[in-house]
């Protein structure tokens, strides 16, 4: 049976580190790691939510408010993003009576909800290692790309 180049490369890189090979093998087979990563990444999002500043992108608010007032995107005002994300936000703004101080909490809820979705899809289609890497990647970059009301990007 012919071994793949990736297998040969991994064997070459780990030839002097037998403990690393055991750790990677144990990590890939243990089903509890991805659940631990789900909890850790959720705590990371909560930590970032508490200690990072939140800001409001005025274009995001206006692109949500203008259709509420009856204006047509791309025709009567310049819209910089696809409007579906703005229209999803519209009921949330109406329920909160356009209280923009609640938007960071909605962003945190969407972030944790997305982590749970990644976890569920990862449990079904990925290995525990792949699920953990996906959760880690998302949680590391979520608040840097989406703070305040920018959570729909």
């Amino acid at each position: 049976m012919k071994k793949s180049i990736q297998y040969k490369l991994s064997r070459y890189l780990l030839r002097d580190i037998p403990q690393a090979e055991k750790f990677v093998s144990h990590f890939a087979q243990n089903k509890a790691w991805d659940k631990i990563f789900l909890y850790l990444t959720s705590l990371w999002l909560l930590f970032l939510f508490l200690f990072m500043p939140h800001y409001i992108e005025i274009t995001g608010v206006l692109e949500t408010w203008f259709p509420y007032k009856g204006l047509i995107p791309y025709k009567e005002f310049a819209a910089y993003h696809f409007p579906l994300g703005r229209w999803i936000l519209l009921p949330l703004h109406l329920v909160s009576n356009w209280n923009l101080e609640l938007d960071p909490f909605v962003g945190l809820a969407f972030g944790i909800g997305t982590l749970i979705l990644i976890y569920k899809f990862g449990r079904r289609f990925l290995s525990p290692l792949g699920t953990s890497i996906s959760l880690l990647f998302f949680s590391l970059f979520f608040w840097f790309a989406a703070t305040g009301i920018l959570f729909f990007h």
Side-chain angles (χ1 to χ4, degrees):
M1 185 168 147
K2 194 172 184 179
K3 299 193 177 177
S4 70
I5 294 172
Q6 185 179 21
Y7 177 78
K8 289 178 185 177
L9 182 62
S10 67
R11 294 295 297 173
Y12 175 75
L13 292 174
L14 296 174
R15 75 182 189 284
D16 295 329
I17 314 170
Q19 295 300 327
E21 185 176 332
K22 287 180 185 175
F23 175 75
V24 170
S25 174
H26 176 70
F27 190 91
Q29 294 173 356
N30 192 348
K31 297 274 187 199
W33 280 106
D34 50 0
K35 187 168 272 196
I36 292 169
F37 262 79
L38 175 65
Y39 295 135
L40 289 176
T41 53
S42 296
L43 286 174
W44 174 250
L45 284 187
L46 185 62
F47 174 80
L48 288 178
F49 173 78
L50 293 174
F51 295 107
M52 281 189 66
H54 308 289
Y55 64 90
I56 294 184
E57 184 187 61
I58 191 67
T59 58
V61 174
L62 290 176
E63 286 179 14
T64 307
W65 185 69
F66 283 157
Y68 170 68
K69 291 296 184 180
L71 299 175
I72 300 170
Y74 308 112
K75 183 178 179 184
E76 299 178 334
F77 67 94
Y80 302 104
H81 300 286
F82 187 67
L84 181 62
R86 313 299 182 175
W87 292 338
I88 290 172
L89 285 178
L90 187 58
L92 298 172
H93 285 296
L94 292 176
V95 167
S96 69
N97 198 20
W98 293 92
N99 184 0
L100 300 179
E101 292 176 355
L102 297 177
D103 282 348
F105 294 100
V106 175
L108 177 65
F110 276 145
I112 292 175
T114 304
L115 279 175
I116 292 170
L117 272 175
I118 291 171
Y119 173 75
K120 287 185 185 260
F121 277 100
R123 289 284 290 212
R124 173 130 187 183
F125 299 112
L126 299 174
S127 68
L129 180 62
T131 304
S132 301
I133 290 172
S134 301
L135 290 169
L136 184 66
F137 184 79
F138 176 80
S139 68
L140 286 178
F141 295 108
F142 177 71
W143 279 110
F144 296 109
T147 58
I149 67 164
L150 298 178
F151 53 82
F152 55 85
H153 282 193

